[in-house]
Amino acid sequence: MTQSDSNEDTGPADLRVRPVDAADLGEIIAIDAEVTGLEKTDYWYELFHRYGAGRTRQKLFLVAESGTDIEGFIIGEVRDWEFGSAPCGWVFGISVRPGARLAGVGARMLEAICDGFRHAGVHKVRTLLARDNGLILSFFRSQGMMAAPFIPLEKELD
Amino acid sequence: MKLQKGTTLALYSMLEFAANPGKQLSAAEIAEKYGASAHHLAKVLRELGRAGLVESARGVGGGYRFSGNATRLTLMDVIELFEDISTRTGESDEFDGSSDVGRALGAVMSEIDEIAKATFRSITVDTMLKLIQRQRREASAAQAPARGK
Protein backbone atom coordinates (compact mmCIF):
# COMPACT_ATOMS: atom_id res chain seq x y z
CA MET A 1 0.00 0.00 0.00
CA THR A 2 1.21 3.50 -0.68
CA GLN A 3 1.72 6.35 1.72
CA SER A 4 1.35 9.10 -0.82
CA ASP A 5 0.53 12.63 0.11
CA SER A 6 -3.24 12.88 -0.10
CA ASN A 7 -4.49 15.28 -2.72
CA GLU A 8 -7.94 15.39 -1.16
CA ASP A 9 -6.69 17.74 1.53
CA THR A 10 -5.29 21.13 0.82
CA GLY A 11 -2.86 21.23 3.69
CA PRO A 12 -3.00 23.03 7.03
CA ALA A 13 -5.32 26.05 7.00
CA ASP A 14 -2.43 28.49 7.34
CA LEU A 15 -0.23 26.79 4.74
CA ARG A 16 1.25 29.11 2.17
CA VAL A 17 3.61 28.38 -0.68
CA ARG A 18 6.13 31.10 -1.44
CA PRO A 19 9.55 31.57 -3.05
CA VAL A 20 12.45 30.32 -0.96
CA ASP A 21 14.41 32.72 1.19
CA ALA A 22 18.01 32.31 2.37
CA ALA A 23 16.72 31.99 5.94
CA ASP A 24 14.81 28.82 4.93
CA LEU A 25 17.92 26.87 3.96
CA GLY A 26 18.57 25.48 7.44
CA GLU A 27 15.13 23.85 7.56
CA ILE A 28 15.37 22.68 3.95
CA ILE A 29 18.71 21.02 4.65
CA ALA A 30 17.22 19.39 7.76
CA ILE A 31 14.14 18.07 5.87
CA ASP A 32 16.34 16.68 3.10
CA ALA A 33 18.72 15.10 5.62
CA GLU A 34 15.80 13.52 7.51
CA VAL A 35 14.34 12.06 4.30
CA THR A 36 17.54 10.98 2.52
CA GLY A 37 19.86 10.38 5.45
CA LEU A 38 22.46 12.67 3.87
CA GLU A 39 23.24 16.24 4.89
CA LYS A 40 24.22 18.13 1.74
CA THR A 41 24.76 21.69 2.94
CA ASP A 42 26.97 22.86 0.05
CA TYR A 43 24.58 21.39 -2.50
CA TRP A 44 21.62 23.31 -1.07
CA TYR A 45 23.47 26.62 -0.92
CA GLU A 46 24.56 26.11 -4.53
CA LEU A 47 20.98 25.27 -5.54
CA PHE A 48 19.71 28.35 -3.73
CA HIS A 49 22.25 30.46 -5.60
CA ARG A 50 21.04 29.08 -8.94
CA TYR A 51 17.31 28.76 -8.32
CA GLY A 52 16.58 31.02 -5.37
CA ALA A 53 13.99 33.73 -5.17
CA GLY A 54 13.71 36.15 -8.02
CA ARG A 55 16.47 34.69 -10.21
CA THR A 56 14.31 34.22 -13.34
CA ARG A 57 10.76 33.28 -14.19
CA GLN A 58 12.15 30.05 -15.63
CA LYS A 59 13.62 28.75 -12.35
CA LEU A 60 11.41 28.07 -9.36
CA PHE A 61 12.41 27.12 -5.83
CA LEU A 62 9.39 27.25 -3.53
CA VAL A 63 8.74 26.35 0.09
CA ALA A 64 5.54 25.45 1.94
CA GLU A 65 5.28 27.29 5.23
CA SER A 66 2.86 26.70 8.09
CA GLY A 67 3.20 29.12 10.97
CA THR A 68 6.94 29.51 11.39
CA ASP A 69 7.76 26.03 10.10
CA ILE A 70 8.92 25.02 6.64
CA GLU A 71 6.92 21.86 5.82
CA GLY A 72 8.39 21.15 2.41
CA PHE A 73 10.00 22.45 -0.73
CA ILE A 74 9.79 22.00 -4.49
CA ILE A 75 12.25 22.95 -7.23
CA GLY A 76 11.87 23.10 -10.98
CA GLU A 77 12.63 24.98 -14.11
CA VAL A 78 11.49 25.51 -17.66
CA ARG A 79 13.66 23.57 -20.09
CA ASP A 80 13.69 24.49 -23.75
CA TRP A 81 13.95 22.06 -26.64
CA GLU A 82 15.63 19.33 -24.66
CA PHE A 83 15.91 16.31 -26.96
CA GLY A 84 13.53 18.00 -29.37
CA SER A 85 10.83 18.55 -26.77
CA ALA A 86 8.95 21.86 -26.84
CA PRO A 87 9.60 24.02 -23.76
CA CYS A 88 8.06 22.45 -20.65
CA GLY A 89 8.30 22.64 -16.88
CA TRP A 90 10.50 20.15 -15.06
CA VAL A 91 10.13 19.33 -11.38
CA PHE A 92 13.42 17.87 -10.20
CA GLY A 93 13.07 18.09 -6.45
CA ILE A 94 10.20 17.78 -3.99
CA SER A 95 10.12 16.84 -0.34
CA VAL A 96 7.70 17.11 2.55
CA ARG A 97 8.77 16.87 6.18
CA PRO A 98 7.74 13.33 7.25
CA GLY A 99 5.65 14.70 10.14
CA ALA A 100 3.69 16.93 7.76
CA ARG A 101 2.79 14.29 5.17
CA LEU A 102 -0.66 13.04 4.19
CA ALA A 103 -2.08 16.53 4.55
CA GLY A 104 -1.91 17.89 1.02
CA VAL A 105 1.33 19.86 1.36
CA GLY A 106 2.89 18.24 -1.72
CA ALA A 107 -0.25 18.84 -3.78
CA ARG A 108 -0.25 22.54 -2.85
CA MET A 109 3.43 22.91 -3.78
CA LEU A 110 2.95 21.12 -7.10
CA GLU A 111 -0.05 23.32 -7.87
CA ALA A 112 2.03 26.42 -7.09
CA ILE A 113 4.98 25.41 -9.24
CA CYS A 114 2.60 24.52 -12.10
CA ASP A 115 1.13 28.03 -11.79
CA GLY A 116 4.69 29.34 -12.08
CA PHE A 117 5.30 27.26 -15.20
CA ARG A 118 2.06 28.53 -16.75
CA HIS A 119 3.16 32.06 -15.93
CA ALA A 120 6.44 31.31 -17.75
CA GLY A 121 4.41 30.31 -20.80
CA VAL A 122 4.53 26.50 -20.78
CA HIS A 123 1.64 24.07 -20.61
CA LYS A 124 3.22 20.75 -19.72
CA VAL A 125 5.06 19.57 -16.63
CA ARG A 126 7.39 16.59 -16.38
CA THR A 127 9.47 14.87 -13.78
CA LEU A 128 11.85 11.90 -13.56
CA LEU A 129 11.89 9.41 -10.71
CA ALA A 130 13.58 6.22 -9.66
CA ARG A 131 11.06 3.47 -10.36
CA ASP A 132 11.52 2.01 -6.89
CA ASN A 133 10.50 5.33 -5.33
CA GLY A 134 6.90 4.25 -4.82
CA LEU A 135 6.06 7.05 -2.43
CA ILE A 136 6.83 9.92 -4.78
CA LEU A 137 5.69 8.02 -7.89
CA SER A 138 2.29 7.49 -6.27
CA PHE A 139 2.12 11.14 -5.32
CA PHE A 140 2.73 12.37 -8.86
CA ARG A 141 0.34 9.75 -10.25
CA SER A 142 -2.33 10.95 -7.82
CA GLN A 143 -1.88 14.43 -9.26
CA GLY A 144 -2.78 13.17 -12.73
CA MET A 145 0.71 12.66 -14.14
CA MET A 146 1.14 9.82 -16.64
CA ALA A 147 4.13 8.18 -18.32
CA ALA A 148 5.87 10.59 -20.69
CA PRO A 149 6.94 9.64 -24.21
CA PHE A 150 10.59 9.31 -23.14
CA ILE A 151 12.71 6.44 -21.90
CA PRO A 152 15.61 7.22 -19.58
CA LEU A 153 18.77 5.34 -20.49
CA GLU A 154 22.14 4.85 -18.83
CA LYS A 155 25.37 2.88 -19.07
CA GLU A 156 28.39 2.26 -16.93
CA LEU A 157 31.40 4.36 -17.88
CA ASP A 158 34.59 2.31 -17.83
CA MET B 1 3.33 -8.60 -19.03
CA LYS B 2 0.02 -10.40 -19.41
CA LEU B 3 -2.32 -10.68 -16.45
CA GLN B 4 -4.52 -13.70 -15.85
CA LYS B 5 -8.26 -13.48 -16.43
CA GLY B 6 -9.07 -13.66 -12.70
CA THR B 7 -6.68 -10.79 -12.03
CA THR B 8 -8.24 -8.54 -14.63
CA LEU B 9 -11.72 -9.37 -13.27
CA ALA B 10 -10.50 -8.42 -9.80
CA LEU B 11 -9.25 -5.06 -11.11
CA TYR B 12 -12.53 -4.37 -12.93
CA SER B 13 -14.47 -5.31 -9.82
CA MET B 14 -12.42 -3.22 -7.42
CA LEU B 15 -12.82 -0.15 -9.62
CA GLU B 16 -16.57 -0.74 -9.90
CA PHE B 17 -16.94 -1.08 -6.13
CA ALA B 18 -14.66 1.86 -5.34
CA ALA B 19 -16.53 4.08 -7.79
CA ASN B 20 -19.75 3.27 -5.94
CA PRO B 21 -18.77 3.27 -2.26
CA GLY B 22 -21.56 2.07 -0.03
CA LYS B 23 -23.52 0.62 -2.91
CA GLN B 24 -23.88 -3.13 -3.06
CA LEU B 25 -23.21 -4.76 -6.40
CA SER B 26 -23.77 -8.39 -7.29
CA ALA B 27 -21.35 -10.66 -9.09
CA ALA B 28 -23.98 -11.02 -11.83
CA GLU B 29 -24.13 -7.24 -12.44
CA ILE B 30 -20.36 -6.90 -12.79
CA ALA B 31 -20.07 -10.10 -14.81
CA GLU B 32 -22.65 -8.85 -17.28
CA LYS B 33 -20.97 -5.46 -17.63
CA TYR B 34 -17.58 -6.98 -18.41
CA GLY B 35 -18.74 -10.04 -20.32
CA ALA B 36 -17.39 -12.46 -17.72
CA SER B 37 -18.70 -15.68 -16.24
CA ALA B 38 -20.69 -14.98 -13.06
CA HIS B 39 -19.29 -18.16 -11.54
CA HIS B 40 -15.70 -17.06 -12.15
CA LEU B 41 -16.42 -13.58 -10.86
CA ALA B 42 -18.03 -14.98 -7.70
CA LYS B 43 -14.77 -16.79 -6.93
CA VAL B 44 -12.81 -13.57 -7.52
CA LEU B 45 -15.10 -11.61 -5.20
CA ARG B 46 -14.74 -14.22 -2.46
CA GLU B 47 -10.97 -13.75 -2.67
CA LEU B 48 -11.33 -9.97 -2.52
CA GLY B 49 -13.63 -10.46 0.47
CA ARG B 50 -11.07 -12.64 2.27
CA ALA B 51 -8.52 -9.85 1.73
CA GLY B 52 -10.91 -7.32 3.30
CA LEU B 53 -11.24 -5.25 0.14
CA VAL B 54 -14.97 -5.92 -0.26
CA GLU B 55 -17.56 -7.04 2.24
CA SER B 56 -20.60 -9.13 1.53
CA ALA B 57 -23.89 -7.33 1.93
CA ARG B 58 -26.83 -9.17 3.41
CA GLY B 59 -30.42 -8.55 2.47
CA VAL B 60 -32.38 -8.54 -0.74
CA GLY B 61 -30.16 -9.45 -3.65
CA GLY B 62 -27.03 -9.77 -1.53
CA GLY B 63 -23.85 -8.71 -3.23
CA TYR B 64 -20.70 -6.93 -2.11
CA ARG B 65 -19.58 -3.42 -1.39
CA PHE B 66 -16.20 -1.70 -1.20
CA SER B 67 -14.40 -1.87 2.14
CA GLY B 68 -10.84 -0.98 1.15
CA ASN B 69 -8.94 2.30 1.35
CA ALA B 70 -8.96 3.71 -2.17
CA THR B 71 -6.18 6.22 -1.52
CA ARG B 72 -3.82 3.52 -0.22
CA LEU B 73 -4.74 0.44 -2.23
CA THR B 74 -2.58 0.07 -5.33
CA LEU B 75 -3.21 -1.95 -8.47
CA MET B 76 -0.28 -4.14 -7.40
CA ASP B 77 -1.99 -4.89 -4.07
CA VAL B 78 -4.98 -6.28 -5.98
CA ILE B 79 -2.89 -8.11 -8.59
CA GLU B 80 -0.79 -9.87 -5.99
CA LEU B 81 -3.85 -11.45 -4.41
CA PHE B 82 -4.23 -13.47 -7.61
CA GLU B 83 -0.74 -13.91 -9.02
CA ASP B 84 2.81 -13.24 -7.97
CA ILE B 85 4.28 -10.85 -10.50
CA SER B 86 6.66 -9.10 -8.12
CA THR B 87 9.29 -11.81 -8.54
CA ARG B 88 8.62 -12.41 -12.21
CA THR B 89 11.57 -11.65 -14.47
CA GLY B 90 11.90 -11.74 -18.22
CA GLU B 91 14.91 -14.04 -17.98
CA SER B 92 13.14 -16.85 -16.18
CA ASP B 93 9.71 -16.59 -17.76
CA GLU B 94 10.06 -15.91 -21.43
CA PHE B 95 13.43 -17.07 -22.70
CA ASP B 96 15.90 -19.83 -22.11
CA GLY B 97 18.79 -18.22 -20.25
CA SER B 98 21.20 -21.00 -21.19
CA SER B 99 22.08 -19.25 -24.47
CA ASP B 100 23.57 -15.81 -25.12
CA VAL B 101 20.59 -14.92 -27.30
CA GLY B 102 18.08 -16.07 -24.68
CA ARG B 103 19.85 -14.10 -21.95
CA ALA B 104 19.91 -10.92 -24.06
CA LEU B 105 16.23 -11.26 -24.99
CA GLY B 106 15.46 -12.01 -21.33
CA ALA B 107 17.23 -8.81 -20.28
CA VAL B 108 14.96 -6.79 -22.60
CA MET B 109 11.84 -8.53 -21.26
CA SER B 110 13.06 -7.90 -17.74
CA GLU B 111 13.29 -4.15 -18.47
CA ILE B 112 9.69 -4.17 -19.65
CA ASP B 113 8.51 -6.17 -16.63
CA GLU B 114 10.26 -3.85 -14.18
CA ILE B 115 8.55 -0.81 -15.68
CA ALA B 116 5.18 -2.58 -15.58
CA LYS B 117 5.63 -3.54 -11.92
CA ALA B 118 6.66 -0.02 -10.93
CA THR B 119 3.58 1.30 -12.71
CA PHE B 120 1.23 -1.09 -10.91
CA ARG B 121 2.84 -0.25 -7.57
CA SER B 122 2.48 3.50 -8.09
CA ILE B 123 -1.18 3.72 -9.08
CA THR B 124 -3.84 3.64 -6.39
CA VAL B 125 -7.52 2.83 -6.89
CA ASP B 126 -8.28 6.49 -6.12
CA THR B 127 -5.87 7.62 -8.84
CA MET B 128 -7.54 5.19 -11.27
CA LEU B 129 -10.97 6.60 -10.48
CA LYS B 130 -9.68 10.09 -11.24
CA LEU B 131 -8.18 8.84 -14.51
CA ILE B 132 -11.51 7.28 -15.48
CA GLN B 133 -13.33 10.53 -14.71
CA ARG B 134 -10.79 12.56 -16.68
CA GLN B 135 -11.11 10.28 -19.70
CA ARG B 136 -14.91 10.58 -19.51
CA ARG B 137 -14.65 14.37 -19.46
CA GLU B 138 -12.23 14.35 -22.39
CA ALA B 139 -14.50 12.02 -24.35
CA SER B 140 -17.51 14.27 -23.64
CA ALA B 141 -15.56 17.35 -24.65
CA ALA B 142 -14.46 15.65 -27.87
CA GLN B 143 -18.06 14.68 -28.67
CA ALA B 144 -19.52 18.10 -27.85
CA PRO B 145 -18.37 19.88 -31.06
CA ALA B 146 -19.52 16.90 -33.11
CA ARG B 147 -22.98 17.11 -31.53
CA GLY B 148 -23.05 20.81 -32.26
CA LYS B 149 -22.63 20.28 -36.01
Side-chain angles (χ1 to χ4, degrees), chain A residues 1-4 6-8 102 131-132 134 137-139 141-142 144-146, chain B residues 71-74 77 111 114-115 118-119 121-124 126-127 130-131 134:
Chain A
M1 313 258 174
T2 72
Q3 301 173 344
S4 66
S6 167
N7 61 326
E8 297 303 327
L102 303 172
R131 65 179 171 228
D132 61 356
L137 262 176
S138 290
F139 164 71
R141 288 281 194 181
S142 77
M145 294 184 77
M146 306 283 285
Chain B
T71 61
R72 299 283 171 272
L73 184 70
T74 67
D77 293 328
E111 268 192 29
E114 289 305 318
I115 292 168
T119 302
R121 277 193 295 266
S122 71
I123 299 179
T124 64
D126 186 61
T127 295
K130 285 182 195 150
L131 174 59
R134 197 163 70 238

Side-chain angles (χ1 to χ4, degrees), chain A residues 5-59:
Chain A
D5 205 20
S6 167
N7 61 326
E8 297 303 327
D9 302 315
T10 53
D14 65 343
L15 188 79
R16 76 182 182 113
V17 180
R18 59 163 175 79
V20 68
D21 187 85
D24 303 324
L25 283 174
E27 284 189 81
I28 289 169
I29 292 164
I31 291 170
D32 178 55
E34 185 179 359
V35 172
T36 67
L38 294 171
E39 191 168 301
K40 306 185 280 282
T41 304
D42 292 347
Y43 167 77
W44 285 108
Y45 273 89
E46 168 63 19
L47 215 57
F48 175 75
H49 179 69
R50 287 192 282 138
Y51 290 85
R55 293 294 183 270
T56 76
R57 256 191 349 182
Q58 303 239 321
K59 295 179 189 290

Side-chain angles (χ1 to χ4, degrees), chain B residues 88-101:
Chain B
R88 190 187 293 178
T89 65
E91 288 96 328
S92 60
D93 286 358
E94 319 284 347
F95 296 101
D96 179 1
S98 64
S99 70
D100 293 344
V101 173

Side-chain angles (χ1 to χ4, degrees), chain A:
Chain A
M1 313 258 174
T2 72
Q3 301 173 344
S4 66
D5 205 20
S6 167
N7 61 326
E8 297 303 327
D9 302 315
T10 53
D14 65 343
L15 188 79
R16 76 182 182 113
V17 180
R18 59 163 175 79
V20 68
D21 187 85
D24 303 324
L25 283 174
E27 284 189 81
I28 289 169
I29 292 164
I31 291 170
D32 178 55
E34 185 179 359
V35 172
T36 67
L38 294 171
E39 191 168 301
K40 306 185 280 282
T41 304
D42 292 347
Y43 167 77
W44 285 108
Y45 273 89
E46 168 63 19
L47 215 57
F48 175 75
H49 179 69
R50 287 192 282 138
Y51 290 85
R55 293 294 183 270
T56 76
R57 256 191 349 182
Q58 303 239 321
K59 295 179 189 290
L60 296 158
F61 188 166
L62 309 175
V63 294
E65 183 181 49
S66 175
T68 57
D69 297 328
I70 299 300
E71 306 286 35
F73 57 85
I74 190 165
I75 314 167
E77 66 185 336
V78 173
R79 294 183 185 169
D80 296 333
W81 303 111
E82 218 173 36
F83 299 105
S85 160
C88 69
W90 265 93
V91 173
F92 64 85
I94 184 169
S95 197
V96 175
R97 192 167 53 77
R101 288 182 182 172
L102 303 172
V105 174
R108 284 282 299 278
M109 292 195 299
L110 184 62
E111 195 181 297
I113 204 166
C114 286
D115 283 344
F117 290 145
R118 285 186 200 99
H119 190 60
V122 298
H123 301 282
K124 193 179 284 290
V125 60
R126 295 193 171 114
T127 192
L128 179 69
L129 293 159
R131 65 179 171 228
D132 61 356
N133 191 344
L135 180 72
I136 308 294
L137 262 176
S138 290
F139 164 71
F140 281 117
R141 288 281 194 181
S142 77
Q143 302 302 303
M145 294 184 77
M146 306 283 285
F150 297 94
I151 295 177
L153 299 173
E154 66 175 18
K155 71 177 278 191
E156 297 296 333
L157 297 176
D158 301 325

Side-chain angles (χ1 to χ4, degrees), chain B residues 1 17 37 39 54 66 75 81 89 93 102 123 126 132 138:
Chain B
M1 180 180 294
F17 286 117
S37 136
H39 177 69
V54 295
F66 186 64
L75 298 183
L81 293 173
T89 65
D93 286 358
I123 299 179
D126 186 61
I132 293 164
E138 286 168 2

